[in-house]
Amino acid sequence: MRTLTYLGLLLIPVTILIAQGCGKDKLRTKPSIKVKSVTPRDVSDKETIPVVVIFDYADKEGDIGGTLWMGKTRLNLQQTSIIEGRDSTRFAVPVPEVRRTDGQIEIRLVAVNLAMVETPSQPDTMALRFALRDEAGNTSDTVSAGTIILRH
């Protein structure tokens, strides 16, 4: 009889832990994004090959149609005149036909999206970062896409 009592006492905490683990909703109202891939990382402004950035996203409401913000930081040691307003760019993210709580977003960056100087004397080496704002105005954390080199 005691074995049954001890077994019953052990099953109660295990059952509670399982119920709590299953009941949590891991999605949040604030969207989340993660950089899945960036290719290529070294491009020439003489070519038409875009830099393709693919993100995985998750959003509780599935209303990701909004804005994807891209910020650039120039990492070159030699500073030259920076083109006014070219350190950040906004992209419209279309609303998917079927609302999904997770999926992928793909953007294609051409040289005009990446160029940071008017009179290039050297390649632009830059760090890219992104944030996603959904239709309700909730903004994800900023994620880094690493370094891109634009050769002139």
Side-chain angles (χ1 to χ4, degrees):
M1 192 65 157
R2 282 188 173 198
T3 307
L4 185 58
T5 306
Y6 290 127
L7 186 60
L9 290 174
L10 181 64
L11 286 176
I12 291 172
V14 170
T15 306
I16 291 171
L17 286 174
I18 291 172
Q20 284 180 341
C22 294
K24 287 187 178 177
D25 188 1
K26 294 180 182 178
L27 295 175
R28 302 179 310 177
T29 296
K30 178 173 133 174
S32 66
I33 60 171
K34 183 175 127 185
V35 177
K36 183 174 182 178
S37 67
V38 180
T39 53
R41 290 193 174 272
D42 192 330
V43 293
S44 169
D45 64 358
K46 311 280 187 283
E47 300 173 10
T48 58
I49 299 170
V51 174
V52 178
V53 185
I54 299 174
F55 303 92
D56 288 328
Y57 75 84
D59 184 59
K60 187 174 185 175
E61 290 78 21
D63 62 342
I64 63 113
T67 305
L68 182 68
W69 172 84
M70 177 183 75
K72 299 179 285 192
T73 304
R74 189 158 192 244
L75 303 175
N76 297 46
L77 295 176
Q78 179 183 350
Q79 295 297 316
T80 55
S81 61
I82 295 193
I83 299 172
E84 191 65 33
R86 292 265 180 107
D87 61 339
S88 68
T89 308
R90 297 189 189 287
F91 299 94
V93 177
V95 179
E97 287 183 29
V98 178
R99 292 196 181 260
R100 296 185 46 170
T101 57
D102 62 351
Q104 289 187 341
I105 299 169
E106 178 181 302
I107 62 166
R108 296 176 176 270
L109 303 171
V110 292
V112 72
N113 296 123
L114 295 171
M116 292 190 75
V117 294
E118 287 181 12
T119 54
S121 58
Q122 61 186 343
D124 279 332
T125 302
M126 65 199 82
L128 301 180
R129 57 197 188 286
F130 295 89
L132 177 65
R133 175 172 280 171
D134 65 14
E135 289 180 323
N138 302 307
T139 304
S140 71
D141 291 335
T142 303
V143 296
S144 173
T147 304
I148 302 290
I149 299 172
L150 177 62
R151 300 190 185 279
H152 304 286

